[in-house]
Amino acid sequence: MNQPSPVGAKALIANPALQPLAFLIGRWRTTGTHPLVPGEALRGVTTFAWHEGGAFIVMRTEVHAPKFPDVLAIIGSDDTAGRFAMTYFDERGTSRLFTVTAGDRTVTWLRDDPHFAQTTTLTAEGPDKLVGTGRMSLDGGAWAADLSQVFERGD
């Protein structure tokens, strides 16, 4: 018996606007630091994968420490405006919207909320290593260190 084609199947194609983020695609082992747990190496895994034929990028993140939630995020684009956005959701039921910008093998996501702002910049240091720097600001105060990680490609 033949399976019916998915609804909207013609849109299951690569989104050329997302090509500046293609360097992220893959499975990454992570080691990080966070001011909540000084001196502790936070290990985990992050994956970036094409979704729906390449129309979106899906990020999944696990940090193997109890204070850090598992995360699912979807990155999409507005090709006319030349912008990206990320919709974030974690195991606590927290959902957030981030503005995403891409540079030459860099990507930054930013949530500019007056009560809890966050930003992370990932920079490629070769094909198999990313360095991520996180910052946060509480109630409009000074920006301080947040989760920062080194990503190494592989299992």
Side-chain angles (χ1 to χ4, degrees), residues 82-103:
R83 292 189 301 231
F84 306 101
M86 178 171 66
T87 302
Y88 165 107
F89 184 76
D90 70 33
E91 68 180 89
R92 303 168 297 183
T94 299
S95 60
R96 298 182 174 142
L97 294 174
F98 289 81
T99 301
V100 178
T101 56

Side-chain angles (χ1 to χ4, degrees), residues 14-90:
N15 178 349
L18 292 175
Q19 277 307 301
L21 305 177
F23 72 96
L24 298 172
I25 301 300
R27 182 178 177 91
W28 303 86
R29 291 181 318 276
T30 60
T31 304
T33 59
H34 194 284
L36 287 177
V37 288
E40 186 176 333
L42 301 170
R43 301 199 189 288
V45 176
T46 295
T47 62
F48 293 92
W50 296 115
H51 183 61
E52 298 293 0
F56 300 95
I57 295 175
V58 176
M59 178 183 80
R60 291 180 170 86
T61 298
E62 295 177 6
V63 175
H64 306 305
K67 291 184 180 182
F68 299 89
D70 288 1
V71 172
L72 173 65
I74 297 181
I75 301 170
S77 67
D78 180 328
D79 64 331
T80 303
R83 292 189 301 231
F84 306 101
M86 178 171 66
T87 302
Y88 165 107
F89 184 76
D90 70 33

Side-chain angles (χ1 to χ4, degrees), residues 23-24 28-33 46 48 101 104-109 119-135 146-153:
F23 72 96
L24 298 172
W28 303 86
R29 291 181 318 276
T30 60
T31 304
T33 59
T46 295
F48 293 92
T101 56
D104 182 23
R105 296 184 52 79
T106 67
V107 61
T108 298
W109 48 84
T119 186
T120 297
T121 298
L122 300 180
T123 303
E125 291 190 354
D128 297 324
K129 183 178 180 183
L130 305 172
V131 175
T133 304
R135 313 272 297 151
D146 197 1
L147 179 63
S148 293
Q149 298 173 296
V150 173
F151 296 68
E152 295 177 297
R153 198 178 293 276

